[in-house]
Amino acid sequence: MKRMIALILTVAMMLSLAACSSPGSETTAGNAGGDVPGNNGTQGNGGDENPGSSDGGLISWKLGMMDPGAWNATSGPLYAQMEAACEALNVELMYVAADSNSAEGHIAAVQSMIAGGCDGIILLNGPLVQGCIAQIAQMCDEAGVYWSLSWTKLIEGEDNYNACVNSPYFVSTTYEDDVHSANWCATLLGQKGCKNLTEIGFTPGNATGDMRDAGVKAGCEEYQMTIMAEERDVNLTMTSDGGKTIMDRFISSYPEMDGLVIAGMSQFVLSGVVSSLEENKMQDKISVTCIDFHEYQTEYLKSGVLDGIIGGHVVGTYYSLILMANIMNGTPLTDQKAIIQDNFIELASGEDAETWDTYGKPGNIYSAEETRNMMVKLNPDFTYDDLMQVIAAYSLEDIVQRAGGAN
């Protein structure tokens, strides 16, 4: 009887192995990570067995992201686009709020995402700013959870770079040319004839802030402008009240100031800066340019209190989702870690801002049809090179054209 039971079990195991070795069922993501979920009844972090979908055959899986909190002009379109894309790709989106803007807060949030059954995680630049990329890499690797970063430039050879590329479950990071963004802001001020600038910027020591500082410096050198004072205290640069406090002090301490560069966090501080300019009746004497879109940027550009704003860099997480979703469905677009530069949107007039309000701000920059066409499972001809072309084309004109609007 024991021999008969053993024989039955052996036959059952052989049949199971035969089924698992059928074409495509053991696809892996090469350098992008471990076994591709969905092909063998697993889904990264303990997903449902044999996940399926009634929506074109795409498997169902769960994505974790940080809770965006209150809507703002930078995060709002980003999360609206992600929600629309997740719906199109049969992905459940889970938000987790950090209990503090710190390394510990981000680590705890990632732990909650993993505990909540997320198969993939996409984060912004918090881990870079807070210095916890290595810890997050270890957590995701141990849990078998795919992960990506956005707004995060990785410098080859540095610890953060190594932590990412050596992580078997790391998929991608997206970043923008932040030297260009800050140089664009400084150049606009130089072209207006400004000579004495102040700056609101990031705390030194992270790649994003360092690149933006380099862009401002280059613009100042080209137009013989001087940076008279800087403010980098996150206790001030992350709120509107802080923006007003900063600008009140700049106006009082530097009467010769004729220009301000806000090299990031404009979505928080710009309203306070504008309030200070108006209260001090300096809106016609001090020119302002900034990085990161703001809720009232159209009004500010039309009134002239704002001279230019560069932002709209809200699609990096979307590109990471496309890469991750293809891995989850067993059709990875690349076997390499994807380190991708994407584009900003430049608004130098009220008309530019109104165009963004119509076609970009709602967060439907890429339609459900476009999103699904980037899935190899649904469109076998789509390649990594095709995705790179989509990314390279991103601009105000590209958004309008794909939406069928007038150029």
Side-chain angles (χ1 to χ4, degrees), residues 27 34-44 51 59 119 146 327-330:
T27 307
D35 293 340
V36 174
N39 293 329
N40 56 6
T42 64
Q43 217 189 138
I59 71 162
D119 306 292
Y146 291 94
I327 291 173
M328 292 292 182
N329 280 277

Side-chain angles (χ1 to χ4, degrees), residues 178-180 182-187 190 197 199 210-225 227:
D178 280 296
V179 175
H180 164 74
N183 185 255
W184 183 86
C185 289
T187 295
L197 309 185
E199 178 183 354
D210 291 347
M211 286 189 293
R212 292 184 181 182
D213 287 344
V216 172
K217 181 180 179 182
C220 287
E221 290 176 351
E222 182 178 357
Y223 289 94
Q224 293 80 52
M225 297 182 293
I227 298 291

Side-chain angles (χ1 to χ4, degrees), residues 45-385:
N45 185 29
D48 297 334
E49 187 174 351
N50 298 321
S53 168
S54 60
D55 190 9
L58 296 179
I59 71 162
S60 175
W61 58 281
K62 192 171 187 177
L63 174 68
M65 293 187 72
M66 300 295 286
D67 190 329
W71 186 98
N72 65 59
T74 296
S75 66
L78 184 157
Y79 284 97
Q81 176 68 85
M82 289 297 288
E83 288 165 10
C86 284
E87 181 177 359
L89 298 179
N90 199 27
V91 177
E92 179 185 352
L93 184 55
M94 174 184 178
Y95 290 134
V96 175
D99 57 9
S100 65
N101 187 26
S102 64
E104 293 76 15
H106 278 78
I107 289 170
V110 170
Q111 288 172 334
S112 294
M113 293 177 199
I114 292 172
C118 290
D119 306 292
I121 294 171
I122 300 177
L123 303 170
L124 297 175
N125 62 346
L128 174 71
V129 173
Q130 303 299 338
C132 56
I133 286 179
Q135 295 97 312
I136 288 172
Q138 181 178 355
M139 291 161 54
C140 290
D141 290 346
E142 291 175 352
V145 171
Y146 291 94
W147 65 289
S148 290
L149 297 168
S150 190
W151 298 348
T152 302
K153 173 67 181 279
L154 298 173
I155 308 298
E156 187 170 358
E158 292 187 353
D159 290 344
N160 286 330
Y161 177 93
N162 293 333
C164 291
V165 300
N166 292 327
S167 164
Y169 284 89
F170 179 72
V171 176
S172 61
T173 188
T174 57
Y175 67 98
E176 295 73 38
D177 184 349
D178 280 296
V179 175
H180 164 74
S181 68
N183 185 255
W184 183 86
C185 289
T187 295
L188 282 183
L189 296 179
Q191 290 173 345
K192 288 183 66 67
C194 296
K195 293 299 178 184
N196 300 301
L197 309 185
T198 55
E199 178 183 354
I200 296 173
F202 284 105
T203 303
N206 70 76
T208 299
D210 291 347
M211 286 189 293
R212 292 184 181 182
D213 287 344
V216 172
K217 181 180 179 182
C220 287
E221 290 176 351
E222 182 178 357
Y223 289 94
Q224 293 80 52
M225 297 182 293
T226 300
I227 298 291
M228 306 177 66
E230 303 172 353
E231 182 55 74
R232 301 176 183 276
D233 182 354
V234 295
N235 294 310
L236 295 174
T237 61
M238 296 291 286
T239 67
S240 177
D241 288 344
K244 186 175 186 307
T245 298
I246 294 166
M247 200 60 183
D248 284 343
R249 186 176 73 246
F250 282 167
I251 291 172
S252 174
S253 302
Y254 306 97
E256 65 272 45
M257 176 178 60
D258 55 14
L260 168 71
V261 175
I262 306 176
M265 301 159 294
S266 300
Q267 66 269 43
F268 306 116
V269 300
L270 183 57
S271 287
V273 167
V274 169
S275 176
S276 174
L277 287 169
E278 292 176 343
E279 284 186 12
N280 288 280
K281 302 188 185 308
M282 298 293 288
Q283 64 266 39
D284 295 326
K285 298 179 182 180
I286 298 174
S287 299
V288 179
T289 56
C290 51
I291 305 172
D292 295 331
F293 280 178
H294 187 274
E295 182 178 0
Y296 301 120
Q297 64 195 20
T298 303
E299 174 186 329
Y300 293 158
L301 284 165
K302 282 185 169 183
S303 72
V305 71
L306 178 64
D307 293 84
I309 188 165
I310 184 168
H313 49 309
V314 299
V315 287
T317 53
Y318 172 87
Y319 303 140
S320 292
L321 172 61
I322 296 300
L323 290 164
M324 196 176 289
N326 272 289
I327 291 173
M328 292 292 182
N329 280 277
T331 57
L333 291 175
T334 177
D335 62 358
Q336 302 297 313
K337 310 297 186 183
I339 299 177
I340 300 168
Q341 180 176 296
D342 56 10
N343 298 330
F344 282 102
I345 302 293
E346 301 166 1
L347 307 180
S349 69
E351 181 180 2
D352 289 345
E354 288 178 334
T355 300
W356 171 260
D357 289 346
T358 300
Y359 296 101
K361 184 177 179 180
N364 54 355
I365 296 166
Y366 295 101
S367 68
E369 181 180 3
E370 288 174 308
T371 298
R372 290 171 61 80
N373 280 338
M374 296 182 203
M375 298 300 298
V376 176
K377 198 167 187 178
L378 305 180
N379 177 15
D381 294 330
F382 190 77
T383 67
Y384 184 74
D385 287 341

